[in-house]
Structure formats: structure tokens, C-alpha cells
Amino acid sequence: MPKVRTTSLSRRGLLAAGGAVGLGAVLAACGDSDSKGSGSDSASSSAKAGTWTFKDDRGVTAEAKSTPKNIVAFTGVAAALHDYGIEVKGVFGPTKTADGKPDVQAGDLDISKVEILGNVWGEFNVEKYAALGPELLVTAMWEKDALWYVPDESKDKILKLAPSVALWAAETTIPKAIQRHEDLAASLGADVKAAEVTDAKTRFEKAAARLRAAAKSKPNIKVMIGSASQDLFYVSLAKMSADTLYFQELGVRFVEPKVNAAGFFEELSWENVDKYDADIIMMDNRSSALQPDTLTSKPTWAQLPAVKAGQVIPRTTEPIYSYDKCTPILEDLAKALENAKKAG
């Protein structure tokens, strides 16, 4: 895992490293809900004099003389834009694995056709970025005004080169996050009324209905949200993440950890990993987190009721916010609930 500073980056860095909870494991100071865009009224694409504008979730309006074409984005955001037909020139963030294959966060991006400016936390090649002639930088936002995977050390240099857009990835829900990515894609020229988009939305709504029904049919099944590192196991609070907050709204019951001072997750030693009863465990699927098949050396892990019952499923901790990519997330959890039995 990437090393993490113990200063202001500690929470965001832990999140990026997979040692924290995933989506939404950030400060309560992320900003109140009034500051967050939740629909198309928060976006603006101006046609006057051929200019382009977009109001992002910081409340900042990005402006350009024409619709940006040379776009650089955080990998997951780039993958979402790709699903709407908007391609980027460069990416930063987890893009390829050690064996050269696309990272889970790359979605359907052809990673051979984009310039990778940085593949891990703290990496961002400013010189390569400048050489691309960027017209727009797009990334996620986990805490107010903090640009995801844009290093603090080089942020000022980076932001001087092109307008930037930040979209909330924390303390929102999947539908709201998808809408904001769709707003941006539309402003960049995407046809959001195209059949593939509307059909994907229909499938998403069907999957949401299925998950709601599954949760209602299994009111006694409790789900734990986990992320594993070599030394610690992290249990996250559902309401702080776009995915699990939405699942909660659909009726899924989650373990509620006794969170630390930051208020978003609880760190457990492996000796205490059995602190909470859970029938299903959703495990952080990012390449920076230890995966269940690597935890066999942890005796306490093997003894967990959910593990014994074979009720451990992947969690797409940083979803790609398009209807196409979020639908399987809902379907997989619905299937897990439909098939789940009390494990403890």
C-alpha cells in the first residue's frame, strides 16, 4: 500500500490506500448537504458566445471559451465519462495493476489509449499533464474542496494549467452521484437521451427495485462493510458512503461500528475482528486492499460466521458513476441477500 502522511492527508490517504472504509470515509467537515449538487440544476452549460461553463460540487464554475476536448480525469471519473461517450486524454489514480491489466476502477477504458499521469496515491506527473495541453481537469471530492488524487504538493501548479471540476463522492447517494456525472457529460457534448443511456437507467431502476424487495424479504440479515490491511480490519459506517447509504435507503441493514474520532469507521485488530455479528461481509475490492483469498493466514478471519457460511462478497468501494456500471452492484447485493441465511 502507498505510504500515508500523518498530517492532513491521513484520512484521505488511508482511504486511497485501501486501509480505510472506502467511499465516504472522510471528515464530517466535508461540507453540509446544501453545498452539494444533487441534480441538473447544479450544472450549467452556456451556449452564449460559444463559451462553456459548469458549476461543480464545490460551487465553483469552470469556464472555457469552447467545450473542452483535451480532458484529464481521475480514473473512475474518466470511466464514467467513457460510458457516456466522452473520452479523456489522460488519467490519474489506480489505472493498471502490477501485471499491466486494467485496474477495477478503470471500467471499460482502453488504458493503452490514455496517458497515465499517476497510478498510485501521491503520483501526478505535472510535466506530462502540461504536455497534453489540458483544457479541463475532473476528479472526485471526498472532503470539501479537496481534489481526489491531486497531490497537495503540486496542486497549485496543476490547477494553473486548466479549469477544474470536482464531483462529490462522499455523503451522497449513487443516484445523485450518477446524475452529477451525467450533468457533466451532457455539458461536454454527450447525448444523455441516447438509447444506451436510457436503457441503462431502466436496468438500474429495475435492479434498485430488486434490491429493495430482497432487503424487505430478509429483515434479519445484517451486512458488515469491511476493508482489510495487513495489521487492521476496518468496519465502515454505511451512511457515509454513496453506495451503502443508498443501500440503506433501500432497506439493507448494516452493522453500525463504534467509529473513531473522525466519525466514519472503526479500526479493529485482527484479534478483535469478531467484534460484530454479521451475516454478509462486503469487502473492499480495490487493488490497494487485501482481498479475502489472501486472508487465509488470519485465523480469526476464517472463524467469522459469514466467512464460514461463504457469505463474503466484493464491494465496489469506488463505483464508476454511470447507470451501466452501478446496475451490477445493486444486482450482486440483491442476489447475496436473496440467497443469504443467518450465519451466527
Side-chain angles (χ1 to χ4, degrees):
M1 291 194 302
K3 293 183 179 178
V4 179
R5 295 203 309 268
T6 57
T7 56
S8 62
L9 240 172
S10 59
R11 299 178 186 90
R12 290 194 293 136
L14 274 172
L15 173 56
V21 304
L23 285 170
V26 290
L27 294 172
C30 282
D32 60 39
S33 58
D34 291 340
S35 68
K36 298 169 187 174
S38 59
S40 57
D41 59 342
S42 298
S44 81
S45 180
S46 173
K48 68 176 182 177
T51 60
W52 173 88
T53 65
F54 184 86
K55 187 176 181 181
D56 76 357
D57 293 350
R58 296 170 295 179
V60 172
T61 299
E63 301 181 28
K65 292 182 180 180
S66 61
T67 303
K69 299 298 181 185
N70 284 357
I71 303 167
V72 173
F74 171 68
T75 303
V77 176
L81 291 176
H82 170 83
D83 286 354
Y84 286 102
I86 302 298
E87 303 300 339
V88 305
K89 298 290 186 180
V91 296
F92 55 95
T95 306
K96 62 180 179 180
T97 58
D99 58 5
K101 295 180 180 179
D103 188 272
V104 65
Q105 295 188 57
D108 291 335
L109 283 178
D110 184 343
I111 64 172
S112 70
K113 293 183 178 180
V114 294
E115 185 75 53
I116 301 174
L117 304 178
N119 198 56
V120 297
W121 183 260
E123 283 186 357
F124 193 114
N125 191 312
V126 182
E127 290 73 22
K128 284 186 178 181
Y129 177 59
L132 290 173
E135 297 173 335
L136 181 66
L137 177 80
V138 190
T139 190
M141 182 169 64
W142 295 85
E143 48 187 320
K144 183 65 172 158
D145 299 327
L147 302 183
W148 192 229
Y149 271 81
V150 176
D152 290 342
E153 300 82 8
S154 53
K155 178 180 68 175
D156 292 344
K157 291 181 180 179
I158 293 167
L159 295 182
K160 285 179 181 178
L161 295 172
S164 62
V165 164
L167 300 178
W168 275 112
E171 298 184 63
T172 184
T173 63
I174 285 179
K176 290 178 181 179
I178 291 175
Q179 183 62 60
R180 292 297 286 143
H181 285 71
E182 185 171 292
D183 292 341
L184 177 60
S187 80
L188 294 170
D191 180 5
V192 298
K193 301 299 183 183
E196 57 264 33
V197 176
T198 57
D199 288 350
K201 184 176 183 179
T202 298
R203 292 193 299 272
F204 176 87
E205 292 170 343
K206 183 178 180 180
R210 178 184 174 185
L211 178 54
R212 187 188 296 276
K216 186 176 182 180
S217 70
K218 297 290 181 73
N220 296 322
I221 296 296
K222 188 170 286 189
V223 181
M224 182 163 66
I225 310 159
S227 184
S229 70
Q230 188 60 42
D231 298 321
L232 295 170
F233 185 82
Y234 299 82
V235 182
S236 51
L237 191 62
K239 70 178 183 179
M240 299 310 296
S241 302
D243 59 336
T244 49
L245 173 58
Y246 184 51
F247 301 157
Q248 204 167 40
E249 290 179 352
L250 292 175
V252 179
R253 294 183 64 231
F254 288 97
V255 166
E256 295 192 6
K258 294 182 179 178
V259 295
N260 62 15
F264 299 89
F265 58 91
E266 179 178 3
E267 304 111 321
L268 299 175
S269 66
W270 283 103
E271 290 77 13
N272 295 313
V273 73
D274 61 351
K275 181 176 180 178
Y276 297 105
D277 293 327
D279 305 295
I280 295 173
I281 302 175
M282 299 177 66
M283 289 293 290
D284 187 346
N285 75 335
R286 293 174 299 173
S287 55
S288 52
L290 296 183
Q291 299 305 304
D293 60 359
T294 68
L295 299 177
T296 54
S297 62
K298 308 287 187 184
T300 50
W301 167 259
Q303 294 304 310
L304 293 177
V307 176
K308 286 184 173 181
Q311 295 178 170
V312 178
I313 63 173
R315 177 198 177 198
T316 303
T317 305
E318 293 190 50
I320 294 167
Y321 289 115
S322 69
Y323 291 113
D324 182 67
K325 294 301 181 294
C326 287
T327 295
I329 297 173
L330 302 184
E331 292 173 338
D332 290 347
L333 181 55
K335 181 179 180 181
L337 283 171
E338 290 162 355
N339 296 330
K341 298 179 180 178
K342 287 297 292 181

